[in-house]
Amino acid sequence: MSEQQSNGAPAVEGLSERTRAKWAAASTPEKIAANLPPMLDLTIENITENVMKINSMCDNPRLRYLILKLIQAAHDYVREVGLQFDEWEQAWEFLTKVGQISTDVRHEFVLLSDILGISALVDAISYPAVPGATESSVLGPFHDEEAHSFQYGESIFTEGTPGEPTIVRGWIKDTDGNTVPKALIDVWETDGNGVYDLEHDGNADPNCRGKIFSNEKGEGPLPLPHMHFMIEHPKYTKLITALYSRDSNFVESDTVFGVKKSLIVGYKWCEDLELAKEHTVTPIVKTIDGKESTGFWLLEQDFVLVKKSPPPPRKTED
């Protein structure tokens, strides 16, 4: 048991004055009881009210609102389905495993949020569609801040990466049609086997991901296939989005609910070897329309950003 100061607060070094004041106000059973709302005999009918009263002491109005709404919804769910202990036990064991499999680069709770459709719902609320602007999509669990920076036209692939060479190029613009130079484009994707670099054991360096700034003209060339994007600029709302190939077998059955019609794109075969050289892409030989051809895949796609504006107030009560 820790020593007590004269004011009743535990004698622990390094505490802020605010924390010391809280501990001093509630450091004995009598003081703790005095600061709690009246306790009730807990029943199925009144436990929710009791739990909400205890958690209503949160100082932050928005956080208090979120917590109380979560408690109400969770308790209503438990009562409605008649949740049994063995079922609840399975649920927390599952959540424990989700936490255990997560690492600093594998965010399994993000993926759980994705497959439950929560990520897509939060995205739709946070970034409502703006006419003329590129629609957003879910972030996904495999974004990595450690991606390398690349110069205009460089490839983000390492030599020997599975997949077919692809160049994506286009403009970063705003809804007025103005180009946006010096926008940071953070992009990541799987290799040709559908595997992210973070999923490879012992992966030393980022692959199939990178950061690049649009040039002074607002152009942003990126050589890669199916893509996730995060585009940032001080004057514009951050855009998190993705492009989905219309040739994919899964474009209409996306399990994380991120696909939107406006984000479905088509690639075309390109034989412009000078363009390939400019963007350090090695062409391949492929049969196209029954004929042997040397080239690469090309996608031309613009991204349209929304100018920043004051965010709407967040609810703190009904």
Coordinates of all heavy atoms in Angstrom, one line a residue, residues 134-139 188-189 226-230 239-245 258-260 262-265 301 303:
T134 N -13.3 13.7 -55.4 CA -13.1 12.3 -55.3 C -13.7 11.7 -54.0 O -13.5 12.3 -52.9 CB -11.6 12.0 -55.3 OG1 -11.0 12.5 -56.6 CG2 -11.3 10.5 -55.3
E135 N -14.4 10.6 -54.1 CA -15.0 10.0 -52.9 C -13.9 9.3 -52.1 O -13.0 8.8 -52.6 CB -16.1 9.0 -53.3 CG -17.4 9.7 -53.9 CD -18.5 8.7 -54.0 OE1 -18.6 8.0 -55.0 OE2 -19.3 8.6 -53.0
S136 N -14.2 9.3 -50.8 CA -13.3 8.6 -49.9 C -13.6 7.1 -49.8 O -14.6 6.7 -50.3 CB -13.4 9.3 -48.5 OG -14.7 9.1 -48.0
S137 N -12.7 6.4 -49.1 CA -12.9 5.0 -48.9 C -12.2 4.7 -47.6 O -11.5 5.5 -47.0 CB -12.3 4.2 -50.0 OG -12.6 2.8 -49.9
V138 N -12.3 3.4 -47.1 CA -11.7 3.0 -45.8 C -10.2 3.0 -45.9 O -9.6 2.7 -46.9 CB -12.3 1.7 -45.4 CG1 -13.8 1.7 -45.2 CG2 -11.9 0.6 -46.4
L139 N -9.6 3.3 -44.7 CA -8.1 3.3 -44.6 C -7.6 1.9 -44.8 O -6.5 1.7 -45.4 CB -7.7 3.9 -43.3 CG -6.2 3.9 -43.0 CD1 -5.5 4.8 -44.0 CD2 -6.0 4.4 -41.6
W188 N -0.2 2.8 -51.1 CA 0.2 1.5 -50.7 C -0.7 0.4 -51.3 O -1.8 0.7 -51.6 CB 0.3 1.3 -49.2 CG -1.0 1.4 -48.5 CD1 -1.8 0.4 -48.0 CD2 -1.7 2.6 -48.1 NE1 -2.9 0.9 -47.4 CE2 -2.9 2.3 -47.4 CE3 -1.5 4.0 -48.3 CZ2 -3.8 3.2 -47.0 CZ3 -2.4 4.9 -47.9 CH2 -3.5 4.5 -47.2
E189 N -0.1 -0.7 -51.6 CA -0.9 -1.8 -52.2 C -0.2 -3.1 -52.1 O 0.9 -3.2 -51.6 CB -1.0 -1.4 -53.7 CG -1.9 -2.4 -54.5 CD -3.1 -2.9 -53.8 OE1 -3.6 -2.4 -52.8 OE2 -3.7 -3.9 -54.3
H226 N -3.7 -2.0 -58.3 CA -4.7 -1.6 -57.3 C -4.2 -0.9 -56.1 O -3.2 -1.3 -55.6 CB -5.5 -2.9 -56.9 CG -6.3 -2.8 -55.7 ND1 -7.6 -3.0 -55.7 CD2 -6.0 -2.4 -54.4 CE1 -8.1 -2.8 -54.4 NE2 -7.1 -2.4 -53.7
M227 N -4.8 0.2 -55.8 CA -4.1 1.2 -54.9 C -5.0 1.7 -53.8 O -6.2 1.9 -53.9 CB -3.6 2.4 -55.7 CG -2.6 2.0 -56.8 SD -3.0 3.0 -58.3 CE -4.3 2.1 -58.9
H228 N -4.3 2.0 -52.6 CA -4.9 2.9 -51.6 C -4.1 4.2 -51.6 O -2.9 4.2 -51.9 CB -4.7 2.2 -50.2 CG -5.4 0.9 -50.0 ND1 -6.7 0.9 -49.5 CD2 -5.0 -0.3 -50.2 CE1 -7.0 -0.4 -49.4 NE2 -6.0 -1.1 -49.9
F229 N -4.8 5.3 -51.3 CA -4.2 6.6 -51.4 C -4.6 7.4 -50.1 O -5.7 7.3 -49.6 CB -4.7 7.4 -52.6 CG -4.3 6.9 -53.9 CD1 -5.1 6.0 -54.6 CD2 -3.1 7.3 -54.5 CE1 -4.7 5.5 -55.8 CE2 -2.7 6.8 -55.7 CZ -3.5 5.9 -56.4
M230 N -3.6 8.2 -49.6 CA -3.9 9.2 -48.7 C -3.2 10.5 -49.2 O -2.0 10.5 -49.4 CB -3.3 8.8 -47.3 CG -3.6 9.9 -46.2 SD -2.8 9.5 -44.6 CE -3.6 8.0 -44.2
L239 N -7.6 13.4 -48.0 CA -8.4 12.4 -48.7 C -7.8 11.0 -48.5 O -6.6 10.8 -48.8 CB -8.4 12.8 -50.2 CG -9.0 11.7 -51.2 CD1 -10.5 11.6 -50.9 CD2 -8.8 12.1 -52.6
I240 N -8.6 10.1 -48.0 CA -8.2 8.7 -47.9 C -9.2 8.0 -48.8 O -10.4 8.0 -48.7 CB -8.4 8.2 -46.5 CG1 -7.5 8.9 -45.5 CG2 -8.1 6.7 -46.4 CD1 -7.7 8.6 -44.0
T241 N -8.6 7.3 -49.8 CA -9.4 6.7 -50.8 C -8.7 5.5 -51.4 O -7.6 5.1 -51.0 CB -9.8 7.7 -51.9 OG1 -10.8 7.1 -52.8 CG2 -8.6 8.1 -52.8
A242 N -9.3 4.9 -52.4 CA -8.7 3.7 -53.1 C -9.3 3.6 -54.5 O -10.4 4.1 -54.7 CB -9.0 2.4 -52.3
L243 N -8.6 3.0 -55.4 CA -9.1 2.7 -56.7 C -9.2 1.2 -56.9 O -8.3 0.4 -56.5 CB -8.1 3.3 -57.7 CG -7.9 4.8 -57.7 CD1 -7.0 5.2 -58.8 CD2 -9.3 5.5 -57.9
Y244 N -10.3 0.7 -57.5 CA -10.5 -0.7 -57.6 C -10.7 -1.0 -59.1 O -11.5 -0.4 -59.8 CB -11.8 -1.0 -56.9 CG -11.8 -0.7 -55.4 CD1 -12.2 0.6 -55.0 CD2 -11.3 -1.6 -54.5 CE1 -12.1 1.0 -53.6 CE2 -11.3 -1.2 -53.1 CZ -11.7 0.0 -52.7 OH -11.6 0.4 -51.4
S245 N -10.0 -2.0 -59.5 CA -10.0 -2.4 -60.9 C -11.4 -3.1 -61.3 O -11.8 -4.0 -60.5 CB -8.9 -3.4 -61.2 OG -9.1 -4.0 -62.5
G258 N -15.6 -1.0 -49.0 CA -15.0 0.2 -49.4 C -15.2 0.6 -50.8 O -14.9 1.8 -51.2
V259 N -15.7 -0.3 -51.6 CA -15.9 0.0 -53.1 C -17.0 0.9 -53.3 O -18.1 0.7 -52.8 CB -16.0 -1.3 -53.9 CG1 -16.2 -1.0 -55.3 CG2 -14.8 -2.2 -53.7
K260 N -16.8 2.0 -54.1 CA -17.9 2.9 -54.6 C -17.8 2.9 -56.1 O -16.7 2.8 -56.7 CB -17.7 4.2 -53.9 CG -17.8 4.2 -52.4 CD -17.5 5.6 -51.8 CE -17.6 5.5 -50.3 NZ -17.3 6.8 -49.6
S262 N -17.8 5.3 -58.2 CA -16.9 6.3 -58.7 C -15.4 5.9 -58.6 O -14.5 6.5 -59.2 CB -17.1 7.6 -58.1 OG -16.8 7.6 -56.7
L263 N -15.1 4.9 -57.8 CA -13.7 4.5 -57.5 C -13.3 3.3 -58.3 O -12.2 2.8 -58.2 CB -13.5 4.3 -56.0 CG -13.8 5.4 -55.1 CD1 -13.6 5.0 -53.6 CD2 -13.0 6.6 -55.5
I264 N -14.2 2.7 -59.1 CA -13.9 1.6 -60.0 C -13.3 2.1 -61.3 O -13.9 3.0 -62.0 CB -15.2 0.8 -60.3 CG1 -15.8 0.2 -59.0 CG2 -14.9 -0.4 -61.2 CD1 -17.1 -0.5 -59.1
V265 N -12.2 1.6 -61.6 CA -11.4 2.2 -62.8 C -11.0 1.0 -63.7 O -11.0 -0.1 -63.4 CB -10.2 2.9 -62.3 CG1 -10.6 4.1 -61.5 CG2 -9.2 2.0 -61.5
Q301 N -5.8 8.9 -64.0 CA -6.8 9.1 -63.0 C -6.5 10.4 -62.2 O -5.4 10.6 -61.7 CB -6.9 8.0 -62.0 CG -7.9 8.2 -60.8 CD -9.4 8.0 -61.3 OE1 -9.6 7.3 -62.3 NE2 -10.3 8.6 -60.6
F303 N -7.4 13.1 -59.1 CA -8.0 13.2 -57.7 C -8.4 14.6 -57.4 O -7.6 15.5 -57.6 CB -7.0 12.7 -56.7 CG -6.6 11.2 -56.9 CD1 -5.6 10.8 -57.7 CD2 -7.3 10.3 -56.2 CE1 -5.2 9.5 -57.9 CE2 -7.0 8.9 -56.3 CZ -6.0 8.5 -57.2

